[in-house]
Amino acid sequence: MKNKTNLFLFTSLVVSFMLTGWLFYLSGKRVGDLSVNEQQDGDFQVCNEDRIFQYYNLDTDYNGGKKAIKQEILSRLESLDFNNPGLITARFIVNCNGDTGRFRYKSTDLDLKEIKVNSENIKKIKSAVLLLQHWNSPEENRVFDSYYVLNFKIRNNKILDIF
């Protein structure tokens, strides 16, 4: 009887270690994570590939908030002309040094159906976002990278708002 109890406890311990390891692995990978694409991303480096948090987990933001982002880049994007109203969502990573990279874009119409946008307009939006140099995260969290999202609202064939 004692051998059966010891075997049961040992098996339980092994299973619990396996489950803990599996859950730890899953906690580092989430739906929507931006995987590396060397052609798109160039030499952009994150500080810890296994620990990239969402911006709201670390309070990552731009100095002055979204208002400062609008002031810095909206005027550069006023000349862009679009065919359809909708949203362009820019997702990217702000690394622990405040650098940005791994840009991914998705464009949707007003019904949230994916649409194509002129690639030159996307390049100009990316160039404008790259000019933003005042990213911050709390000092105690400087060793972490985080995702960030900007949405560009398109109405009357122009970018009307950034949020």
Side-chain angles (χ1 to χ4, degrees), residues 11 13 15 20 24 27 51 55 64 79 82-83 97 101-103 106 111 121 125 127 145 150 157 160 163:
T11 305
L13 182 67
V15 168
T20 302
F24 181 76
S27 70
R51 292 287 172 209
Y55 66 93
S79 65
F82 297 88
N83 296 329
N97 300 316
R102 284 197 204 166
F103 289 88
K106 184 174 184 177
D111 296 323
N121 285 350
I125 290 171
S127 296
D145 310 298
L150 287 175
N157 300 333
L160 183 66
F163 59 97

Side-chain angles (χ1 to χ4, degrees), residues 8-20:
F8 175 76
L9 289 175
F10 178 72
T11 305
S12 298
L13 182 67
V14 169
V15 168
S16 66
F17 279 133
M18 289 172 51
L19 284 174
T20 302

Side-chain angles (χ1 to χ4, degrees), residues 133-151:
Q133 297 296 313
H134 305 290
W135 294 98
N136 63 34
S137 60
E139 288 301 317
E140 65 271 14
N141 293 326
R142 294 298 288 177
V143 297
F144 296 111
D145 310 298
S146 67
Y147 292 102
Y148 203 80
V149 176
L150 287 175
N151 292 293

Side-chain angles (χ1 to χ4, degrees), residues 12-160:
S12 298
L13 182 67
V14 169
V15 168
S16 66
F17 279 133
M18 289 172 51
L19 284 174
T20 302
W22 181 63
L23 289 172
F24 181 76
Y25 171 76
L26 288 179
S27 70
K29 305 293 180 198
R30 292 172 299 278
V31 173
D33 282 359
L34 301 177
S35 59
V36 177
N37 181 331
E38 291 181 11
Q39 290 178 328
Q40 282 183 302
D41 303 332
D43 60 353
F44 177 75
Q45 296 291 317
V46 294
C47 299
N48 185 348
E49 189 68 47
D50 295 324
R51 292 287 172 209
I52 304 173
F53 294 94
Q54 299 298 325
Y55 66 93
Y56 48 79
N57 292 121
L58 298 178
D59 294 328
T60 299
D61 204 355
Y62 194 73
N63 287 336
K66 299 271 171 102
K67 183 177 180 179
I69 291 173
K70 285 185 214 181
Q71 289 175 341
E72 286 191 41
I73 67 172
L74 190 56
S75 62
R76 298 175 195 275
L77 303 173
E78 288 176 340
S79 65
L80 299 182
D81 194 33
F82 297 88
N83 296 329
N84 300 313
L87 287 174
I88 296 175
T89 301
R91 297 175 56 235
F92 53 95
I93 295 174
V94 179
N95 72 12
C96 64
N97 300 316
D99 301 324
T100 55
R102 284 197 204 166
F103 289 88
R104 305 293 187 268
Y105 295 89
K106 184 174 184 177
S107 307
T108 59
D109 62 13
L110 296 176
D111 296 323
L112 300 179
K113 294 179 182 162
E114 197 165 344
I115 58 172
K116 294 280 185 192
V117 172
N118 181 337
S119 63
E120 286 302 312
N121 285 350
I122 296 295
K123 286 179 185 175
K124 290 178 182 176
I125 290 171
K126 181 179 178 180
S127 296
V129 173
L130 281 170
L131 293 173
L132 299 171
Q133 297 296 313
H134 305 290
W135 294 98
N136 63 34
S137 60
E139 288 301 317
E140 65 271 14
N141 293 326
R142 294 298 288 177
V143 297
F144 296 111
D145 310 298
S146 67
Y147 292 102
Y148 203 80
V149 176
L150 287 175
N151 292 293
F152 299 83
K153 181 178 178 181
I154 301 168
R155 300 292 187 275
N156 300 321
N157 300 333
K158 301 288 181 199
I159 294 178
L160 183 66

